[in-house]
Amino acid sequence: PYTTLFRSLNVSLSVNGNHKGTVPLASNSNQCDVLTQALKLGIINELDMRYDTVFGTYGVYKIDGEGESGTVWWTYKVNGKSPPVGCSLLKVHDGDSVNWQYIKS
């Protein structure tokens, strides 16, 4: 009975197109949780992600030193598509492939 409550999902994480690894998550996780868990596991080394009350979701400011502390220049795609909602509003599905991309040129 407990295995269904705590079923683990696996998500493939890439940053700027570079595969970082597979992140195991609980079944009720969202796309922001992918980054938080990746940080905990050492898959990424730095994360600056803060809640934005205007948008009602988290904004990613820095991943592994890339980014700016005052501006969000990170976007993400799940399975090759840009979601219409922020990362905390999109649930993870087993086998998802998420790529976080720094878009400031």
Side-chain angles (χ1 to χ4, degrees):
Y2 294 108
T3 54
T4 55
L5 292 174
F6 299 104
R7 190 168 77 88
S8 180
L9 306 176
N10 291 302
V11 174
S12 175
L13 173 64
S14 296
V15 177
N16 290 323
N18 299 314
H19 180 70
K20 292 292 189 174
T22 300
V23 182
L25 296 151
S27 60
N28 61 344
S29 299
N30 62 51
Q31 293 294 336
C32 290
D33 295 331
V34 174
L35 289 176
T36 304
Q37 182 72 351
L39 181 65
K40 286 180 188 174
L41 296 174
I43 295 170
I44 59 174
N45 299 310
E46 180 189 3
L47 176 63
D48 181 359
M49 180 171 64
R50 291 175 259 148
Y51 191 76
D52 186 318
T53 55
V54 173
F55 294 106
T57 188
Y58 286 83
V60 175
Y61 293 83
K62 286 185 180 184
I63 298 174
D64 285 346
E66 187 166 13
E68 297 179 16
S69 60
T71 310
V72 173
W73 286 102
W74 285 94
T75 186
Y76 73 110
K77 288 185 177 182
V78 177
N79 303 322
K81 297 180 181 176
S82 295
V85 295
C87 62
S88 67
L89 303 174
L90 188 64
K91 294 292 182 197
V92 168
H93 296 97
D94 191 38
D96 276 353
S97 178
V98 61
N99 180 57
W100 283 89
Q101 188 72 39
Y102 189 66
I103 57 171
K104 185 176 183 185
S105 52

